[in-house]
Amino acid sequence: MLRTVAFSLALAAFGSPLLSHVIQPTSLALTVGEQKSFVVSDSSGCSARLRAQVQDSSVASVSPDQEVTAVDQTFTVTGRTAGKTPITITWNAVAPCVDTGTGRVDVTVTTAPPNVVVTSLPGGLVQETNQEGSTGEFTVANIGGSATTVFVNPSTDFFDVAPRSADLAPGASRSFTIAAVPLPAGFYEGFVGVTGTGVGPGTNVRVRLVSANRPSTPPLPRPAANRVDLSTRVGQFQKGSIRITNHDTGTVRGVFSADVPWILPPGEAFELVAGFVDVPFEVDLDRRPLHTAAVGTLSLHYLLSPGEIASSGPVAGHGATGASSTTVTVVSTVTPPSSPADLPPLGAQEIALFAPGVGRILGSVGLFISDLTLSALDRNADTRNVRLYYSPLGAETRTVNIDPVSRTIASPLGDLVKGVFGGDSQIGSLQIRSPDVLDLGVLASIFNSSDPAGTFGTAIPIFRSDRSVLPGQQLFLTGLRKTATSHTNLFVQETSGNSARVRIRLLTGSGSPADERVVDLAAFGVTQITDNPTPLPDGMVSAVLEHDEGSDGAFVGYATPVDRASGDFWAVADWSLQYGYSVADPLLIPVAGAIPGANNTDFRTDVSFMNSGTVPAAGTLRYRSADAGVLEETIDVAPGATVTYEDLTRSIFGIEGTTLGYLTWTPASGAMRITSRNYTLVAETGATFGTAVPVLPLSAAISRGELIRFGGVDDASLTTVTDRRPATFRSNVGIIETSGQPIRVRATMNYTVPSSLVTTIGSASVELELAPFELRRLNRVTQEILGAFRGALGDLRNVQLDFEVIEGDGSAVIFLSSIDNGTGDSLLRVE
């Protein structure tokens, strides 16, 4: 403790509380690129203005790097270059506390030794009997701080490897080519040994090959589902299977491989003449990343017929063998056991989070399941004792405790209802309780997992119990659909622990009543309203929800319009209630436009305006983009009416062709509720796949020293995107400067190296300068942050992204969009 004793004793005479700061530790030793923390705490409970400053910022950086007011504060130090530098900590008391002082943490940064990991594995090799061999490759990278040389050696003579050695500077990677020799028919298995300074002992890359005769006619093996989920309790084994069906006449001959070392495919050749077969595989939990859930892929590589080779030529990635592949995503979840429970009442000032509509249910177009991702939104969040309660309709509530939620990498849970709570054929409500619940990031979704083309579904809005509809208040939903090609479901959730009776009025576009019904909610209960058994009315576009006479409690609700052509659905919420803003506040729709994307996607924007008041409502809608500048239109809506603008940038602003930007809304009169959706249109069928876009208050922007975090982000490799592999995702980020001042934003990602034989966590960052009102796009966000090193890695999953404004007087809204590479369906997050 460093402060002036005489000064403290003099102030003590006046009876004011005195600071009692302790810094732990007072010295840090770390390597370049490594992060460690120190804590400044005060045992008296006094708040102070704390500031940590690095003397030599080229050696290390500290975050947060501006003055903060706190009782306890954790600072994170990042090593930048080798050297030594002190960090000076200054504290000044906040009244009624008194005292001031300084402390010091000595930082020593050293150059890290080499650390070589395998970053991508070879696929299965298939080749024609006694013919020229097939090829594959694997990649190793040096993620350490010193240069090294690696050596590779094949364990057998059925393949060769080139080159046999490579020099790797820090941050460098090298791919090695595997070339098989002509072989008799059969299954072959061996490995490549990787050695050198910085290479872990026993690092071997498995090589699996099948030599067989080509089928005379085309085979067409496809999995029955795009994804397989496995779940076990801690300490158990995991085994699973995938069903492969041959949809053509040729015999399937091939071999299975995995893109991660913890998925163990069958150790034999695969052959399927007709029909289907269930293929077993195992998960090695000792080699799996230490997360609640982990994701990999299992691929079947198989020989094409001579006619297919002649018509298409050699297949990229498979040498001259004429081969193809089909892939299934595997999700492995390990959790503590769940148990029956009664939902406890909310304590005084306690806030619970709700995700109504979580389920696992077989629908008309396949199996719908739910995933959950938990992350710490704040570096100092208390993530211990996060308790989940799942209450399915008509069944008992079960609970599980996740302790703790990681601050480094999010804690995902796959197929939540079955994998965590042991349920099936259920839909219900998930409730989350935690001591620091508002610093907990929660991403819940429900989606179709059985369509071989890929996933489609929606994120479920996460509701706060303190932002609920009380007696005398109303909830407004707009942008609903009931036509020959669409319908809408509604979910209503009680949030206070008291029963409620909710009246729902459904309205047409003119505001005329279309239907009315009343639902009863038990304490913490949820109800789902669908077309069965009582159809919802044609032509409805909006809904008003309010307490019926004599109702108690509190409730929230949302709707899911459904496109029948695609089966896709999206969430419509009352965003003013969701984010706690007034209809008089200026608003932001963070992304809008008309733009082509990868894999023939063609995105556009719809926006709905509902006048929820009794007088005319009006305001100014502005569209800002780099290509079109600033365009604006006045929107007027009659009392109770709803107006929807489809393909908005063309229909309102007259922009033909490609454009991407964002929308702002400045209200002038009345009470307007606004919802928006971005989607891709499949021209051949008219089907759409897309996502709701939350409507935010401009006050939601972060400013200097503030941070927004996205946990559980997937971002596929370029090969995976190009191959349109189902149930894999590419992720893009948008950063908008909202106040008209330049800013600098630091983007940081934490990630696990997918093919590493041990759990290896990497970190990287990039700093971006934004001009006033600029929208900056980071397409395939991990590529933007990692740069050239991204090519050394395969599909990145469960990435954690931090965005922090570090300079400038402006502010930023940041959003993330994840797109399924198979279907083009997207999910947009603003956290």
Side-chain angles (χ1 to χ4, degrees):
M1 186 186 309
L2 298 173
R3 67 169 184 262
T4 305
V5 177
F7 182 67
S8 299
L9 292 175
L11 287 176
F14 293 96
S16 299
L18 293 175
L19 294 175
S20 181
H21 273 98
V22 175
I23 304 172
Q24 293 180 323
T26 56
S27 63
L28 289 174
L30 60 161
T31 59
V32 174
E34 186 180 11
Q35 292 184 332
K36 289 186 178 179
S37 298
F38 65 90
V39 180
V40 182
S41 59
D42 186 88
S43 59
S44 68
C46 287
S47 291
R49 294 188 299 274
L50 297 164
R51 180 69 188 265
Q53 292 179 290
V54 180
Q55 180 174 297
D56 187 347
S57 59
S58 67
V59 173
S61 62
V62 63
S63 182
D65 59 358
Q66 79 288 335
E67 188 175 79
V68 293
T69 300
V71 174
D72 302 323
Q73 177 66 39
T74 299
F75 291 92
T76 301
V77 182
T78 303
R80 301 174 77 89
T81 60
K84 296 182 178 181
T85 183
I87 296 178
T88 301
I89 301 96
T90 303
W91 54 82
N92 292 283
V94 175
C97 297
V98 294
D99 209 353
T100 184
T102 61
R104 172 172 162 156
V105 173
D106 291 312
V107 178
T108 302
V109 180
T110 57
T111 300
N115 182 10
V116 177
V117 295
V118 179
T119 57
S120 68
L121 298 173
L125 305 181
V126 286
Q127 64 185 35
E128 194 171 357
T129 304
N130 295 322
Q131 297 298 312
E132 184 180 357
S134 64
T135 61
E137 68 176 25
F138 65 94
T139 303
V140 300
N142 180 7
I143 62 173
S146 303
T148 188
T149 301
V150 296
F151 303 90
V152 297
N153 294 285
S155 65
T156 70
D157 59 2
F158 75 80
F159 67 91
D160 196 8
V161 182
R164 288 298 184 95
S165 66
D167 296 327
L168 294 179
S173 64
R174 181 62 188 262
S175 294
F176 296 85
T177 299
I178 298 168
V181 302
L183 294 165
F187 171 75
Y188 300 82
E189 187 169 22
F191 64 86
V192 179
V194 184
T195 58
T197 302
V199 180
T203 298
N204 296 316
V205 175
R206 189 66 55 185
V207 179
R208 313 173 83 247
L209 181 146
V210 162
S211 180
N213 294 326
R214 287 192 183 282
S216 58
T217 58
L220 188 61
R222 291 294 181 265
N226 60 58
R227 168 173 156 167
V228 173
D229 279 81
L230 305 178
S231 59
T232 53
R233 305 308 173 206
V234 174
Q236 296 179 337
F237 296 100
Q238 280 191 347
K239 294 184 179 182
S241 65
I242 60 173
R243 175 162 292 186
I244 299 292
T245 301
N246 186 3
H247 295 275
D248 215 328
T249 57
T251 300
V252 181
R253 297 188 180 100
V255 65
F256 280 92
S257 69
D259 71 338
V260 290
W262 49 268
I263 297 178
L264 307 179
E268 57 190 13
F270 177 79
E271 184 168 308
L272 179 60
V273 177
F276 67 86
V277 66
D278 293 321
V279 181
F281 67 93
E282 297 182 12
V283 168
D284 185 346
L285 294 176
D286 291 333
R287 301 175 75 178
R288 205 203 73 163
L290 300 175
H291 309 319
T292 45
V295 182
T297 60
L298 191 61
S299 298
L300 169 62
H301 307 265
Y302 60 94
L303 287 168
L304 298 173
S305 67
E308 291 175 291
I309 300 173
S311 62
S312 62
V315 178
H318 298 280
T321 61
S324 189
S325 64
T326 187
T327 299
V328 175
T329 295
V330 176
V331 180
S332 163
T333 298
V334 177
T335 65
S338 65
S339 59
D342 294 324
L343 280 163
L346 287 171
Q349 309 302 315
E350 184 180 8
I351 297 172
L353 303 180
F354 292 85
V358 167
R360 189 180 203 273
I361 195 162
L362 187 64
S364 60
V365 293
L367 179 65
F368 290 85
I369 67 174
S370 294
D371 284 351
L372 182 74
T373 298
L374 303 171
S375 55
L377 294 181
D378 186 86
R379 294 187 178 104
N380 302 314
D382 182 356
T383 60
R384 298 166 295 173
N385 193 30
V386 176
R387 185 160 290 277
L388 310 179
Y389 296 90
Y390 180 59
S391 302
L393 296 172
E396 69 176 358
T397 296
R398 298 189 68 84
T399 186
V400 68
N401 193 51
I402 308 298
D403 188 15
V405 171
S406 170
R407 294 194 186 108
T408 305
I409 293 288
S411 299
L413 298 164
D415 193 5
L416 181 74
V417 172
K418 183 177 181 180
V420 176
F421 296 104
D424 201 356
S425 301
Q426 294 177 338
I427 194 164
S429 174
L430 180 71
Q431 187 176 156
I432 303 103
R433 306 275 189 100
S434 172
D436 218 353
V437 73
L438 295 185
D439 284 328
L440 190 67
V442 180
L443 174 65
S445 60
I446 185 164
F447 58 93
N448 186 302
S449 68
S450 59
D451 189 331
T455 64
F456 55 86
T458 188
I460 296 172
I462 305 300
F463 297 95
R464 290 170 45 165
S465 58
D466 63 333
R467 291 180 179 171
S468 300
V469 180
L470 302 175
Q473 299 176 338
Q474 295 177 314
L475 181 148
F476 300 91
L477 302 175
T478 189
L480 313 186
R481 298 188 181 188
K482 179 62 185 295
T483 67
T485 60
S486 63
H487 65 273
T488 294
N489 304 316
L490 291 96
F491 294 89
V492 188
Q493 167 79 58
E494 204 288 317
T495 59
S496 69
N498 300 293
S499 61
R501 186 174 174 84
V502 180
R503 182 172 298 275
I504 303 172
R505 293 186 287 118
L506 302 171
L507 308 176
T508 65
S510 66
S512 301
D515 192 14
E516 187 172 300
R517 58 188 66 189
V518 175
V519 296
D520 290 301
L521 297 175
F524 292 133
V526 65
T527 190
Q528 181 186 19
I529 302 164
T530 67
D531 271 342
N532 185 18
T534 305
L536 296 172
D538 291 342
M540 68 169 190
V541 295
S542 296
V544 181
L545 287 73
E546 57 193 349
H547 287 267
D548 200 26
E549 185 176 352
S551 174
D552 198 0
F555 71 87
V556 294
Y558 72 104
T560 55
V562 181
D563 180 345
R564 289 176 179 164
S566 65
D568 186 35
F569 51 99
W570 60 99
V572 170
D574 186 334
W575 300 117
S576 63
L577 180 69
Q578 186 80 355
Y579 294 109
Y581 61 80
S582 163
V583 292
D585 290 343
L587 304 178
L588 173 75
I589 299 175
V591 61
I595 187 168
N599 298 339
N600 294 325
T601 47
D602 185 14
F603 290 94
R604 70 272 318 271
T605 301
D606 292 352
V607 180
S608 293
F609 297 85
M610 177 191 183
N611 182 347
S612 59
T614 57
V615 299
T620 301
L621 185 69
R622 291 183 178 87
Y623 176 69
R624 186 186 294 269
S625 68
D627 54 275
V630 181
L631 302 173
E632 65 178 50
E633 288 289 332
T634 299
I635 306 295
D636 298 283
V637 182
T642 295
V643 177
T644 296
Y645 295 95
E646 296 183 349
D647 201 358
L648 174 135
T649 55
R650 295 187 178 103
S651 61
I652 289 186
F653 296 109
I655 304 172
E656 295 300 329
T658 297
T659 183
L660 183 70
Y662 59 94
L663 298 163
T664 58
W665 170 256
T666 304
S669 61
M672 201 82 83
R673 258 67 181 194
I674 306 173
T675 61
S676 180
R677 179 192 181 216
N678 285 348
Y679 59 96
T680 181
L681 175 68
V682 182
E684 295 82 2
T685 63
T688 64
F689 294 92
T691 181
V693 179
V695 181
L696 307 171
L698 280 172
S699 59
I702 62 172
S703 55
R704 184 167 50 188
E706 295 179 315
L707 173 144
I708 186 169
R709 171 172 290 172
F710 299 95
V713 178
D714 289 0
D715 199 25
S717 68
L718 185 59
T719 298
T720 294
V721 174
T722 303
D723 288 349
R724 301 187 181 186
R725 293 179 191 169
T728 65
F729 301 85
R730 61 187 185 272
S731 291
N732 307 321
V733 165
I735 307 173
I736 304 169
E737 199 295 308
T738 60
S739 64
Q741 300 289 332
I743 55 172
R744 178 184 289 268
V745 174
R746 179 186 295 131
T748 303
M749 61 177 282
N750 289 345
Y751 63 98
T752 55
V753 179
S755 301
S756 176
L757 304 181
V758 295
T759 301
T760 302
I761 296 180
S763 181
S765 64
V766 66
E767 294 183 1
L768 307 165
E769 293 185 357
L770 271 75
F773 298 120
E774 180 184 357
L775 165 61
R776 177 70 60 86
R777 298 166 56 190
L778 306 180
N779 292 333
R780 292 187 60 235
V781 60
T782 59
Q783 175 70 53
E784 296 280 355
I785 295 176
L786 287 170
F789 185 68
R790 178 65 181 91
L793 303 170
D795 296 342
L796 290 175
R797 307 177 179 98
N798 196 27
V799 173
Q800 180 168 286
L801 295 171
D802 287 352
F803 295 90
E804 185 177 11
V805 179
I806 59 174
E807 287 183 16
D809 296 326
S811 53
V813 166
I814 299 150
F815 64 90
L816 181 142
S817 178
S818 294
I819 303 115
D820 186 291
N821 292 308
T823 62
D825 190 36
S826 57
L827 183 152
L828 190 135
R829 300 167 58 181
V830 293
E831 305 307 88

